[in-house]
Structure formats: structure tokens, C-alpha cells
Amino acid sequence: MSSDFIPYWLERLDFLDVHYHASPDAYKRKFNVIEAGTAYQAIRGGVLLKSHLGCTSAVAATAQSMGLPVFGSVALNSIAGGLDLRSIKQSLCYYNGNAHCGRLVVDLPTVVPSQHLSKLQRTYDNDAVKRFAQEPCFLGDDQQVLFPCIEEVLDFCKHESVVLTTGHATRAQLEALVDLCVKKGGVRLLLNQPANPMTKMDATALKSLGQHDWLYVEQTALTLLLGYQTQQDFDEVLANVHNVVYSSDLGQLDQLSPQQWLNRSQTWFNSAKLSAVRVQAITLLNPLQMLTP
């Protein structure tokens, strides 16, 4: 991987959204991969694509070959093989040919056992998704103890060009993951939208995890837009939590476009009285540092 990853993208981007859904995905989306990359490029942004069906690294590599600022990931959901290292290895094989792809983002399962009913109005992309892609993937047992295979994933990620995210883990599982990363060292971990109703972590809880250079905290616009988080907590996370990475988690048919999200975000940043330095850190520098090989 190239050592000039950050300078290369600093010349091209004003921000980097590390959580956006484009088709193909489990649900119908506003844009396909190329349309999403083109929309972000038009507003000097980059975009990291997520899919509940698994891998976006192949399509991201194709988009980058067309000059688009698109980054990839793989979600370890049951439909994609679950907590199996082969899914990560396959995605790395797709992704590692371009020096400017950055680290692959590996999401622990996002289709998990949960009583939460989303407020989003969503339609399955096709009948096969409804039939085959809804099987939940378990991270641990009924007492929230993580399965041993999680350590295998951590050990693999420790030695590869990967950022591991907590997916839709519970708070207890997330805290256990952080503890394991402290113990093992060498793993770059992103807390995936921890204000979501399955994890339920506010700014105070996030601060209690401590400040680590390898630990990143995602704050999505969607948790606020859906009312899963108060404006006060949203502002506090953006202003005062360590290594925040601000993202959208958008792409739904009835949600904001990238340009609308960018405009709304600037209004929120102004209301929260964020300095220009802080805005650049959470929207560009922290995401780039996280993805730096």
C-alpha cells in the first residue's frame, strides 16, 4: 500500500462519508455504486459503501479504477458466510490491487438477533433477499459472552490492512470487544453507530471507554434523523468524544441526498458551535487516518 494515502486524498476531498448504502444491497437504495460515487465526487466528497449482503470491495475497486472516490467494506452477516475468515480474505483479494483503496472495513454482523423494529420505511431489493438474507448472526451467547471465533477474527485483523467495526453489537458485546482489543493490541476498531437502539451508548458511555489512538467512534446522521438520539447528545459526541468519525448512514429512497445531508450537517455543526478545525477532523482527517494502511 502507498504511504501517501492521506496526501493523495487530501488533494481531492473535502470530506469522507464512511457509511453509505448503495445498490446492490438488502433494501432498495437511492443510487447504485457508480451513481453514488459520481454524486459524492460532484461535491468533493468520498464515500465508503456498506451492504448488508456482504462485500462492496470489488465494486469499490472498480469505481476507483474509473477515478471515483469510493471505498469498500464487507459485512460478516450469515448470508455472506458469517464469522468466517474466508469472507475477509476474499474481500482483501478484490481490494488490495489499488494503492489508494485504503484499509478494508470489516463489519461484524449487522443482521443480528434483536427486538428492535426500525423506523425506516424499507423495501427488500428482491424476493431472494427476503428468503435468504434475514438469518441473524450471533456474536455471543445469552450471557453476552463473545464466541471464541471473534478472537480469531481479531487476530487476523491485527495483521492485515483492515479496520474492524462492531456492527450491531450490544453494549456489553461492544465493551467486551474494546477490552479484547486492549488486551491484544494492534487492532484498529471502529464503534459502528453506537447510539443506535441495539447498542444504546451516549456520549458519557463513549468517553468512559478511554482515549486510544486505535479506537474510532462513528456518529451517524441517521441516528439523529430517526430520533434514536437527542440533539444534545449528538452535539456532545461531535464536539467532545475522542476520534469521532462523522458519517451519514444514508442511501435510503426517502432520506436525504448527499448534497442535502452535507447542507444539513453544516447547519448542525454551526448549531453545535464546532470550530472549522474540529469539523475537518471529524469529517475528513479522522476518517482518512482510520483508513490509512
Side-chain angles (χ1 to χ4, degrees):
M1 282 286 192
S2 172
S3 61
D4 66 348
F5 178 79
I6 289 182
Y8 177 86
W9 288 112
L10 279 178
E11 296 172 359
R12 292 159 174 80
L13 303 179
D14 291 336
F15 69 95
L16 173 57
D17 181 0
V18 300
H19 192 155
Y20 189 82
H21 292 275
S23 61
D25 198 357
Y27 304 100
K28 293 188 181 301
R29 301 302 186 188
K30 191 181 294 288
F31 297 130
N32 65 33
V33 170
I34 302 305
E35 291 168 338
T38 301
Y40 274 84
Q41 185 179 58
I43 54 177
R44 285 190 53 84
V47 60
L48 193 152
L49 300 175
K50 302 272 191 154
S51 173
H52 296 295
L53 297 179
C55 177
T56 69
S57 61
V59 291
T62 299
Q64 279 210 13
S65 73
M66 300 170 63
L68 297 173
V70 178
F71 303 84
S73 67
V74 59
L76 302 181
N77 289 324
S78 292
I79 189 62
L83 298 167
D84 190 317
L85 296 183
R86 287 175 295 184
S87 296
I88 309 175
K89 292 175 181 178
Q90 181 192 52
S91 293
L92 284 169
C93 289
Y94 287 141
Y95 205 51
N96 269 358
N98 186 335
H100 300 300
C101 280
R103 285 180 180 249
L104 175 72
V105 171
V106 176
D107 295 302
L108 289 174
T110 60
V111 180
V112 297
S114 175
Q115 299 302 311
H116 168 66
L117 297 176
S118 176
K119 293 181 180 180
L120 289 167
Q121 300 298 312
R122 302 184 292 190
T123 303
Y124 290 122
D125 190 62
N126 56 66
D127 183 62
V129 170
K130 186 176 181 180
R131 293 164 57 207
F132 303 133
Q134 303 310 302
E135 179 185 355
C137 190
F138 292 74
L139 287 181
D141 60 23
D142 292 341
Q143 283 71 49
Q144 305 292 306
V145 176
L146 297 175
F147 290 140
C149 60
I150 299 296
E151 288 208 45
E152 295 179 19
V153 172
L154 287 173
D155 287 335
F156 181 82
C157 293
K158 177 177 179 177
H159 300 291
E160 297 296 332
S161 188
V162 161
V163 176
L164 183 67
T165 92
T166 52
H168 288 168
T170 65
R171 176 171 175 173
Q173 291 168 344
L174 182 151
E175 290 172 340
L177 282 165
V178 172
D179 288 344
L180 268 176
C181 289
V182 170
K183 175 183 174 182
K184 290 181 175 295
V187 180
R188 202 170 293 186
L189 184 70
L190 172 66
L191 308 188
N192 183 206
Q193 49 175 322
N196 79 81
M198 288 165 278
T199 309
K200 298 180 180 178
M201 294 188 74
D202 61 12
T204 300
L206 294 170
K207 291 176 187 176
S208 72
L209 297 174
Q211 296 191 5
H212 306 281
D213 59 2
W214 49 264
L215 181 64
Y216 293 83
V217 177
E218 182 188 24
Q219 174 59 66
T220 72
L222 190 62
T223 50
L224 180 66
L225 290 169
L226 294 181
Y228 295 149
Q229 183 179 24
T230 66
Q231 184 74 57
Q232 180 180 6
D233 188 65
F234 178 85
D235 292 351
E236 179 65 15
V237 172
L238 292 183
N240 294 313
V241 170
H242 182 64
N243 270 0
V244 168
V245 172
Y246 177 65
S247 70
S248 71
D249 192 11
L250 298 177
Q252 302 82 6
L253 295 178
D254 61 345
Q255 290 293 333
L256 303 175
S257 70
Q259 180 67 73
Q260 290 170 328
W261 166 67
L262 191 62
N263 294 344
R264 183 76 64 87
S265 297
Q266 190 58 60
T267 299
W268 288 330
F269 298 158
N270 291 340
S271 177
K273 296 181 172 56
L274 301 186
S275 68
V277 170
R278 180 66 176 179
V279 170
Q280 186 185 43
I282 66 177
T283 61
L284 181 62
L285 299 183
N286 290 351
L288 286 176
Q289 187 62 52
M290 181 181 74
L291 295 181
T292 299

